[in-house]
Structures are given as structure tokens and as C-alpha cells.
Amino acid sequence: MEGRGWRSALSIALVLVLLAWPAAAGNTPAEMVAVGPKRHAYAAMMYMGTPRDYEFYVATRVMMRSLSKLRVDADLVVIASVDVPIEWVQAMKEEDMVKVVTVENLKNPYEQQKNFNVRFKLTLNKLYAWSLVDYDRVVMLDSDNLFLQGTDELFQCGQFCAVFINPCIFHTGLFVLQPSMTVFNDMLHELQVVRSNPDGADQGFLASYFPDLLDRPMFHPPVNNTKLVGTYRLPLGYQMDASYYYLKLRWSIPCGPNSVITFPSAPWLKPWYWWSWPVLPLGFSWHEQRRKNLGYAPELPIMLIQAAIYVGIIAITRLARPNLSKLCYNRRSEKSLTFIHSMYKVVVMWSIIAAYTVPFFLIPRTIHPVLGWSLYLLGVAALASIAINSFLLAPLPVLTPWFAILGALGVMANPWYSDGVVRALAVFAFAFCSAPVIWIQLSKVMSSLQMLVDREAFFTRLGESGQMSEINKLY
């Protein structure tokens, strides 16, 4: 068992390196085609002040490069606050061929609202899109958009166009606007007078500023390439909520082209997190765009260092097993043996729990899911080996949750499900069947600990008489 575990750890590490190396390649700047001034622009915003700043920086670069690969007939613009790191700005300008417009953060007057979420504090910077008066039309984007095809026809829309993914409130993850300093200054005035805003973010402000959009006609691109005047609703295909996909595991949107996927759900379910696949199947599509367009070079050194450390831990704990096992023996007389034995069990259980939780938080959040899960499983095996070899535990009971996690990933990644409901039922069935097995195996761990504790009373203690040693020999 131990030899197979050692070989398995080496195999996982080798797979990790082989997967990481090509994934880090990405595109070189020479492959990016620079474009001249255009009448239209795709724009995104970037600001600082949240724990997820780097994630949105990576997401913005991936989105911009994917638009460049689609050969859109428009400039790519990032509205960046003044505190965005200069190296990020230079990377977007020089490597991604993006125009960066530096702006001051707009003060959010809604911070005192009871329902205000602090992560929306600087989202009103999105209003700077109306100040991009060098362009006739701008498509304003959030960083979590995944483009399936070009959407240049949106530049034929009117002064403001957005998608209703909610029956009553349009979504501001993608909208079309006609830049105007008059409108921009009026918006700034509305902020000063604290216009009604349900959520204190850009979503609520724009919904309040354009209250009649629900009554406007649906946008259909004119065949003669002319631009429309006024406000329009965009077809749902321009902002397909990923949640709809998970119900059927396919798209069935009848209105408009299936062009853009958006991920407006919980913050920790964004597609760039390594745990997004196979938990959320569309996460793999986003990471494939990153792999092809940007690569994983920034995260590669961290992954390789972690993999080397985990392999080293497995090797050291295996070689040092005879010495580590001495930790299991009580080498001095104690009056409160019951308390010490109870604490001993608690330490063992927390060691096992830490083995399954600590590696999860050490992995860079934006690496490829295959690399992330491989590194996680390797980390769990490494930390579990410390508990196994230190406390003389049987490997199989401790590693049973490891095999359960691997099996669950396989069940979720199965590509032959007819729809999302069947997939969810399959995952539930696997969890239902594996839970008793995990419980039995963990019970065996506790039983083996109790046996070790009972046997411990007969081991030689330092300072005890030779007569006791003879009794121990008989045992």
C-alpha cells in the first residue's frame, strides 16, 4: 500500500507538471494584432480595493484577448482607476493591445444604505463609459462575460440598450450606449442629489435612470448597417445566464443569437476559479479561453513549488515513520491519562481535517481546474501521510474521503448526462452511497486510536522500574 501511495504521488506530480507546462504558453505579444482608431469600442472597468482584484484583472485580460481573437471591428478599452498597479496597465497596453483610460474613483453616495454591499462601492465607475466621446457607440462589459462569437452588430443599437435576464430588471453586465458628456454630467448630478438606487451599485442606478426600458421594443440589427435611435431591449442571447445552462446542459434560448454567457450568480462561483469545473461545467470553457489566449505563466512557479513540497513531505514522512511513531507513546507518568487520551484523539481528527482543508486554500484561485484539482489531491495525500505515519494509522481509512472526492469529480465530469437534473441526481446518489463508507472508515480510524491508547499503558515509560519493563516484555 505504501509503495503504491509513493508511486501515485509521483504520478500526480508528473501529470501536474506536464499539464502546467503547455498551459503556461499562452500567446506572445507578436500574435496580437494591433488595431487603429475605431468608431466603436468594447469597454470594461477595473478598480482596486477588494480581495479579488487580481482575479478580475486576469478575467478582464482573458475577455479582451478573446474579443481580439474574434477580430471585432472596435477598440478594446479598460476604464482603470488611478490606483490600478502600473505593471497591470502596461501589460494590458503592451501585451493585450488595450487602450487604458485612467479615471478617479467616483464617490458612492449610497454607502449608508442598509442593504449596501461593500463590494459594490466602486462599481459606479462604470458611468465613465458615457465620457468616451471619441466613440460613436460603446459596449460596456463586466469581466465575467464569455464570448461565443462576435457581437459587432450591437453597435447598431440606440442610445441605451440592455438585456432583461430578470423579468423586471435589466442586467448591466453588458449594455450598449452612445457616449455623451451631457448624459455623463447629468448622471454625476443625479449622484450628488442621491437619486433612488435600490442596491447602491451601478445596477440599481442605471435601472433608476432608464426606468422605461422594459416598455421599449426589442433590438434587431438593421440590414443596411444603419444605427438605431432611442432605447431598446437586447435579446436574451446577448446575456445568457449560466444558471439556465445547468438545467439542460445545453442552450435553448429562442430569442436572438447565442453570443455571450454571463455569470451573475454567487461571487465564489465565478468561472475563473479552479474549483468551478467540474462543479460548474461552463468553468472549463472559460479556462480554455484563458489557456489559448493568456496562459498560466504567473501561477506556474507557485504550482511547481507546492507540488515539490508535497512530494517532499510524502518522502520525508515515509522515511521518518519509525521516529514519528514515537509521538504515539506517552513517555512520562501522568495522572490525568483519560484527558490526555481524549486530547490525543482530538489531535488526530483535526490533523485529518486539516489535511483535507489546508491544501484547498493554498492553491492559486485562477489556475486551470485540471491543475487545481490535481494539486489539491496531491496536497491532501501529502498532509494525510503526516497523520498516517505519525499516529500509526491505516492508510485506507484516512484516504477514503480522498477516493470519494475523486469519484465525485468523475461523476460530475461525465459528459453523457441528458440534462442538469439527471446530473444533479447522479451526484446526490453518489454522495448518498459514499457517505456510509466514509463514516465506517473514519470509525475504524477512531477504533484503531482506541486500541493504540489502550496498548499504550503497557509501554515503557521513562523513569519507571525494570520490573515494569519485564511486564511489558511479556505483553
Side-chain angles (χ1 to χ4, degrees):
M1 175 67 71
E2 293 168 352
R4 289 197 297 271
W6 169 252
R7 289 193 295 271
S8 299
L10 288 178
S11 301
I12 293 176
L14 181 60
V15 170
L16 185 66
V17 173
L18 292 176
L19 286 173
W21 185 256
N27 285 340
T28 62
E31 292 175 296
M32 304 300 291
V33 180
V35 295
K38 303 289 185 179
R39 296 178 57 198
H40 309 129
Y42 288 95
M45 68 172 176
M46 185 180 300
Y47 53 83
M48 308 299 292
T50 71
R52 305 165 66 200
D53 291 337
Y54 176 76
E55 302 164 18
F56 282 99
Y57 161 68
V58 171
T60 300
R61 294 191 65 188
V62 171
M63 182 177 66
M64 290 301 180
R65 287 209 181 194
S66 66
L67 284 169
S68 180
K69 279 294 187 66
L70 291 172
R71 301 187 181 278
V72 295
D73 186 21
D75 281 343
L76 305 178
V77 179
V78 170
I79 302 172
S81 60
V82 292
D83 51 354
V84 172
I86 186 64
E87 58 269 21
W88 293 6
V89 173
Q90 290 176 345
M92 290 186 291
K93 286 181 178 179
E94 299 171 6
E95 300 177 23
D96 306 333
M97 304 302 174
V98 169
K99 293 187 176 182
V100 180
V101 178
T102 304
V103 299
E104 295 284 346
N105 289 321
L106 289 178
K107 180 176 175 54
N108 194 315
Y110 306 102
E111 294 183 56
Q112 305 305 318
Q113 289 187 179
K114 292 182 179 180
N115 64 336
F116 183 77
N117 191 323
V118 68
R119 66 189 179 96
F120 296 140
K121 179 179 178 180
L122 298 177
T123 57
L124 292 175
N125 285 3
K126 193 176 289 187
L127 303 184
Y128 276 111
W130 273 269
S131 68
L132 302 177
V133 292
D134 291 338
Y135 301 102
D136 189 35
R137 293 289 191 277
V138 171
V139 175
M140 190 65 195
L141 303 167
D142 281 349
S143 301
D144 59 354
N145 283 307
L146 179 64
F147 280 79
L148 304 181
Q149 63 183 29
T151 57
D152 284 355
E153 69 276 7
L154 289 175
F155 296 120
Q156 296 177 249
C157 204
Q159 280 67 44
F160 184 78
C161 310
V163 180
F164 280 83
I165 64 173
N166 179 298
C168 301
I169 303 174
F170 60 81
H171 188 231
T172 57
L174 179 150
F175 58 86
V176 186
L177 65 109
Q178 181 179 13
S180 167
M181 289 305 300
T182 301
V183 175
F184 178 64
N185 290 329
D186 185 62
M187 288 180 169
L188 295 183
H189 172 72
E190 293 298 322
L191 289 179
Q192 291 177 350
V193 300
V194 194
R195 184 188 186 95
S196 175
N197 185 340
D199 59 9
D202 63 292
Q203 178 86 49
F205 179 84
L206 292 176
S208 175
Y209 197 85
F210 298 98
D212 61 344
L213 191 66
L214 184 61
D215 301 323
R216 305 305 299 164
M218 186 71 71
F219 165 73
H220 297 286
V223 293
N224 56 0
N225 293 325
T226 58
K227 289 183 172 60
L228 301 174
V229 177
T231 57
Y232 291 84
R233 290 180 291 121
L234 293 177
L236 190 60
Y238 290 111
Q239 279 285 265
M240 296 183 290
D241 189 338
S243 303
Y244 299 152
Y245 177 87
Y246 300 135
L247 293 176
K248 298 289 186 180
L249 295 182
R250 60 182 181 275
W251 296 113
S252 56
I253 297 178
C255 49
N258 294 343
S259 302
V260 187
I261 305 171
T262 187
F263 299 83
S265 55
W268 295 107
L269 296 180
K270 295 298 185 183
W272 48 77
Y273 292 121
W274 62 266
W275 58 83
S276 64
W277 181 86
V279 178
L280 302 176
L282 287 175
F284 195 82
S285 301
W286 187 93
H287 277 279
E288 280 301 287
Q289 284 207 6
R290 176 177 179 177
R291 186 184 65 83
K292 295 176 182 177
N293 295 312
L294 187 63
Y296 294 85
E299 292 91 347
L300 180 58
I302 300 176
M303 292 191 305
L304 294 179
I305 291 173
Q306 286 192 27
I309 292 174
Y310 290 146
V311 172
I313 289 175
I314 294 175
I316 292 172
T317 54
R318 177 64 188 92
L319 295 175
R321 179 183 175 92
N323 293 325
L324 289 173
S325 63
K326 294 178 182 179
L327 296 174
C328 296
Y329 307 147
N330 186 0
R331 293 296 183 178
R332 52 183 182 156
S333 298
E334 297 286 350
K335 296 180 180 179
S336 54
L337 287 177
T338 303
F339 174 76
I340 293 176
H341 293 166
S342 299
M343 291 302 298
Y344 175 74
K345 295 179 182 179
V346 171
V347 169
V348 173
M349 291 308 300
W350 274 107
S351 299
I352 296 175
I353 294 173
Y356 282 91
T357 55
V358 170
F360 184 90
F361 296 100
L362 298 180
I363 300 172
R365 296 174 180 175
T366 55
I367 68 172
H368 195 281
V370 174
L371 302 177
W373 283 111
S374 299
L375 190 57
Y376 170 74
L377 293 174
L378 178 61
V380 170
L383 298 187
S385 70
I386 298 177
I388 291 171
N389 291 294
S390 298
F391 303 107
L392 299 178
L393 302 176
L396 182 59
V398 176
L399 292 177
T400 296
W402 190 94
F403 290 106
I405 293 172
L406 186 63
L409 294 176
V411 172
M412 287 187 283
N414 188 341
W416 296 291
Y417 293 119
S418 59
D419 56 51
V421 176
V422 174
R423 177 178 183 265
L425 291 175
V427 174
F428 175 80
F430 179 85
F432 182 80
C433 295
S434 60
V437 178
I438 296 175
W439 178 259
I440 292 172
Q441 294 300 323
L442 291 179
S443 299
K444 289 183 178 180
V445 172
M446 297 305 297
S447 299
S448 64
L449 285 176
Q450 185 61 46
M451 292 177 61
L452 188 62
V453 167
D454 294 340
R455 188 179 64 181
E456 185 185 19
F458 296 94
F459 282 115
T460 303
R461 294 182 175 90
L462 293 179
E464 291 186 344
S465 65
Q467 183 178 0
M468 187 65 183
S469 298
E470 294 298 326
I471 296 177
N472 287 342
K473 289 180 181 179
L474 292 175
Y475 173 78

